[in-house]
Amino acid sequence: MATTSSTPQPSATAKVAVEEQRTPISLGRESGSVLVLLIFVAVLILTTSDFLTLTNLDNLVRQVTVFAILSVGELFVILTGGIDLSVGSVLGLCGGVTALMLASGVSIPVAILVGLLIGLIVGLINGLLVSRLKLPPFIATLGMLGIARGVVLLLTGAKTIAPLPDAFSAIANGFILGLPSLFWILIIITIIAAFVLGRMIFGRYVYAVGSNAESSRLSGVPVNFVLIGVYCISGLLAGFAGILTASRLGAGIPTAGTGYELQAIAGAVIGGASLSGAKGRAIGAVLGAVIMALLANGGNLLGIDPFYLQIAIGLLIILAVYFDNLQGRALNLFRRAA
């Protein structure tokens, strides 16, 4: 007797959105980021002699890791057509709580676990607000931005928590096989995120929801579960980034992560993610974060006013969204012609 699988499958529209991630069109989205990255690297090599020094490259890796982790978490939310504005505050909250626990004598593994759990809980709350209470993601996460920042300021008394154990600081400042430990951490997270989005059913559902949530719901996709899941991932990775930030600085700074939500969104968008959902990959988010880190690093080396760098990042976001719209129109015309 023939049997049928009870696992719901995405709709035809959703399947198209998933398959686009494996086509040359998808490769083109990341190739644009690669081209910009190569141009930046070439310019910095030609204009400054300090760029390729081991000290500068080490600092660059340590700077980009936090932004890249936030961008990967933000990508999961953006793929569903949402946005998470709370990641910077969650970073500060989790880093501050972890530092408080370490300063009070709690063991490093327990303190880290609590910090990650807080990030996961905040993400869960965001997901419930969006999926169950039907709040717009912008409003729900904007409110959480203020709540998380207020909580960490209250808990720490708006004071830096230091010093922290040397073993904890070694997590972000150590070396493995001659390379910064943060480099290997970023590689592992990128591989896991790419596997989840590209090879797991949950990843297919994420693209399906971002393509057409109502069609996916009618096809049996657990839309609410997916929405809760992506916000939990975003919160968890933001919490992890906060712990790494506290480890790197050797202190818990309650204002850490202020404004990082812009960096996270910019990293995902510049890396090829579409704010309308269903387009983007983990490697693209990492490339976008690297581009922004290169802007900041190059600006420091060349003595450029940081305010100009903020303008440059804003322009990059606008251009990325504009070209994404152009690509979408061209793809629609091609499909109609076909």
Side-chain angles (χ1 to χ4, degrees):
M1 179 181 295
T3 59
T4 58
S5 173
S6 61
T7 303
Q9 297 297 321
S11 64
T13 303
K15 289 180 179 178
V16 170
V18 174
E19 291 303 322
E20 282 183 0
Q21 309 306 314
R22 301 177 181 178
T23 66
I25 293 175
S26 178
L27 293 176
R29 302 178 73 87
E30 283 82 28
S31 65
S33 300
V34 172
L35 179 60
V36 173
L37 184 63
L38 292 176
I39 292 174
F40 281 176
V41 170
V43 169
L44 290 175
I45 291 176
L46 294 174
T47 55
T48 175
S49 59
D50 296 328
F51 177 71
L52 291 179
T53 61
L54 292 178
T55 300
N56 183 65
L57 292 178
D58 178 66
N59 290 333
L60 181 61
V61 170
R62 299 185 190 282
Q63 290 170 2
V64 74
T65 297
V66 169
F67 292 146
I69 291 174
L70 287 178
S71 294
V72 170
E74 189 76 46
L75 173 69
F76 276 84
V77 177
I78 290 177
L79 287 175
T80 63
I83 199 165
D84 188 352
L85 298 177
S86 67
V87 291
S89 295
V90 174
L91 180 152
L93 174 61
C94 296
V97 170
T98 301
L100 277 173
M101 298 190 69
L102 291 172
S104 64
V106 176
S107 66
I108 293 176
V110 173
I112 291 176
L113 184 61
V114 171
L116 293 175
L117 183 60
I118 290 175
L120 183 63
I121 291 174
V122 173
L124 174 62
I125 295 173
N126 282 335
L128 291 173
L129 291 175
V130 172
S131 65
R132 298 296 183 181
L133 298 186
K134 306 302 180 183
L135 293 181
F138 183 92
I139 299 300
T141 58
L142 180 62
M144 187 57 69
L145 179 153
I147 293 172
R149 185 66 65 187
V151 170
V152 68
L153 289 172
L154 284 173
L155 291 176
T156 61
K159 297 178 180 178
T160 299
I161 308 301
L164 300 181
D166 292 339
F168 177 71
S169 298
I171 295 174
N173 295 308
F175 290 85
I176 300 176
L177 300 178
L179 295 174
S181 55
L182 287 179
F183 172 81
W184 297 110
I185 291 174
L186 177 57
I187 292 296
I188 293 172
I189 288 179
T190 304
I191 291 174
I192 293 175
F195 179 79
V196 171
L197 289 174
R199 299 299 176 184
M200 293 183 65
I201 293 296
F202 177 79
R204 290 178 177 269
Y205 286 168
V206 169
Y207 287 111
V209 172
S211 178
N212 190 319
E214 185 59 29
S215 176
S216 299
R217 191 191 312 276
L218 295 176
S219 299
V221 175
V223 174
N224 286 340
F225 173 78
V226 172
L227 291 176
I228 292 173
V230 295
Y231 283 97
C232 284
I233 291 172
S234 180
L236 181 65
L237 290 180
F240 186 45
I243 293 169
L244 292 178
T245 299
S247 173
R248 179 172 174 247
L249 301 176
I253 302 176
T255 56
T258 301
Y260 281 19
E261 53 277 350
L262 173 62
Q263 305 287 341
I265 296 169
V269 172
I270 293 172
S274 173
L275 292 176
S276 60
K279 296 178 183 178
R281 296 192 299 186
I283 185 63
V286 174
L287 288 173
V290 172
I291 289 173
M292 291 191 302
L294 279 176
L295 271 176
N297 182 259
N300 291 333
L301 293 176
L302 298 173
I304 298 176
D305 192 320
F307 296 134
Y308 288 115
L309 299 179
Q310 292 185 12
I311 295 174
I313 292 176
L315 289 174
L316 279 175
I317 296 174
I318 293 173
L319 288 173
V321 174
Y322 174 70
F323 284 115
D324 175 66
N325 288 336
L326 286 181
Q327 187 184 62
R329 294 172 189 171
L331 183 60
N332 288 334
L333 289 175
F334 175 77
R335 285 175 176 170
R336 291 174 183 175

